[in-house]
Amino acid sequence: MKNKAKKTPLIFFAFGLCLFVIALLGDLTSLGNYENMKARDWEKFSLELTRKINNSDDFVLEAIERNPNFTKSSKQERAILLHNLVSEYFTSGHARHNLFSNWILYSLGQIHPAFLSIYDHNHLISRGHSLICSQHSYVLMKLSIQSGLTARHVGLNGHVVCEIFWDRKWHMFDPSMELFALDMTTDRIESVSGLEQNPSLAHTLYPKHRSNFADTFISSEDNSFNAHPLGVYFEWKSQVLMYFELFANYMQYIFPVVLVLFCGRFLFINRSV
């Protein structure tokens, strides 16, 4: 019984140390990167751009490099440039946590896959370049807000886009499909609501050979608009998971440190007394 009592703290001490090393390796090495997918035939993906940009600040600096008057440009010009940058930076995929990026979320993800999705926009930028539509649009929304624009997430039936506000109207951007709702007949960028009322434009933007999203815009009853508070995810569950991810980013270090210190007390301090 005494040997078992001595072994238990040692096992938990080693376990805590392993968890701490896993978290550290995830932050300091490429082990914490998520899986990248190849660009689709029509994507503008630029590998060179992914090597230049590591966070949202770098995105803004790249926008200024491309347009030195970026901060003084019109809201439409800023929105289009940011959309184009996001389109060039990311390919289509699903950015998910692995054991090293966050062992807590990875473990919970084995129970429910929602915990595996990455929500932190800087993590999405720095750790890979393949996102699903909601992640694409979330990055664009955060970059737009950072650049002084008002933006929101819009959830559709099976798809998520971003809307940016100027001239007292919302304007739809879909970075995952690398397009925005430009009506060539009026030279205006329409909103999701505008596409609901203009089926021909929706089908022009989303031809059947490329996607089947046109009908998701036309059917307005399942569209979800979220603009308050600023920067909120398109559904409350994702917003909660985003905050939980931030909490888990700290806990992946705090828990093993507490475990190591607690078990170390029994292994070293009590033994020496």
Side-chain angles (χ1 to χ4, degrees):
M1 290 293 290
K2 287 185 178 180
N3 287 336
K4 186 177 180 180
K6 290 179 180 178
K7 286 182 180 178
T8 301
L10 181 61
I11 291 171
F12 281 105
F13 179 87
F15 180 65
L17 195 60
C18 285
L19 292 179
F20 183 82
V21 170
I22 286 171
L24 200 61
L25 285 173
D27 277 343
L28 298 180
T29 72
S30 61
L31 290 171
N33 293 355
Y34 58 83
E35 184 181 7
N36 290 320
M37 307 300 289
K38 290 183 179 179
R40 293 169 286 188
D41 293 339
W42 47 267
E43 286 183 320
K44 306 182 185 109
F45 174 66
S46 168
L47 185 60
E48 181 183 351
L49 191 61
T50 65
R51 291 168 177 162
K52 290 177 65 178
I53 294 177
N54 292 300
N55 52 50
S56 61
D57 290 338
D58 287 344
F59 257 107
V60 177
L61 289 174
E62 178 65 19
I64 294 172
E65 183 177 324
R66 294 192 182 191
N67 178 5
N69 294 317
F70 174 75
T71 56
K72 297 179 181 179
S73 298
S74 69
K75 292 181 179 180
Q76 177 172 323
E77 289 173 325
R78 275 180 278 164
I80 291 175
L81 180 49
L82 290 173
H83 167 268
N84 291 341
L85 283 174
V86 172
S87 297
E88 288 180 37
Y89 189 90
F90 294 105
T91 61
S92 178
H94 191 172
R96 294 184 176 98
H97 283 291
N98 60 35
L99 178 65
F100 291 92
S101 64
N102 192 298
W103 59 265
I104 296 174
L105 295 171
Y106 177 76
S107 301
L108 291 173
Q110 309 313 304
I111 302 171
H112 195 291
F115 288 102
L116 290 174
S117 290
I118 298 173
Y119 297 92
D120 183 346
H121 68 289
N122 275 316
H123 195 131
L124 293 171
I125 295 168
S126 65
R127 288 300 189 166
H129 58 71
S130 294
L131 312 181
I132 56 175
C133 57
S134 61
Q135 294 169 328
H136 266 104
S137 295
Y138 188 65
V139 170
L140 178 57
M141 180 175 71
K142 297 295 283 188
L143 291 174
S144 298
I145 293 170
Q146 184 175 341
S147 302
L149 303 172
T150 300
R152 68 181 180 182
H153 241 182
V154 182
L156 309 169
N157 183 11
H159 195 47
V160 181
V161 297
C162 175
E163 285 192 321
I164 302 174
F165 191 83
W166 70 81
D167 291 344
R168 296 180 293 179
K169 294 179 181 178
W170 290 101
H171 308 270
M172 192 278 284
F173 290 80
D174 187 350
S176 69
M177 296 302 294
E178 300 189 354
L179 60 86
F180 44 88
L182 179 62
D183 187 342
M184 300 296 289
T185 61
T186 62
D187 199 32
R188 291 185 304 187
I189 301 175
E190 290 292 342
S191 64
V192 170
S193 297
L195 289 179
E196 292 171 1
Q197 301 164 23
N198 191 345
S200 62
L201 177 58
H203 284 288
T204 299
L205 292 170
Y206 296 94
K208 287 185 178 180
H209 71 271
R210 186 158 158 180
S211 76
N212 59 352
F213 292 136
D215 290 337
T216 68
F217 288 92
I218 298 167
S219 58
S220 60
E221 64 275 0
D222 53 12
N223 295 348
S224 174
F225 301 84
N226 280 322
H228 303 285
L230 192 65
V232 72
Y233 235 90
F234 76 96
E235 59 179 0
W236 70 267
K237 289 181 290 184
S238 296
Q239 186 73 358
V240 170
L241 287 169
M242 183 187 69
Y243 284 120
F244 184 76
E245 181 184 59
L246 296 175
F247 173 74
N249 286 338
Y250 291 105
M251 287 305 299
Q252 68 171 334
Y253 284 105
I254 294 173
F255 177 79
V257 166
V258 170
L259 191 61
V260 166
L261 292 175
F262 182 76
C263 294
R265 177 174 175 273
F266 286 95
L267 287 172
F268 306 111
I269 298 176
N270 288 354
R271 183 177 292 182
S272 62
V273 175

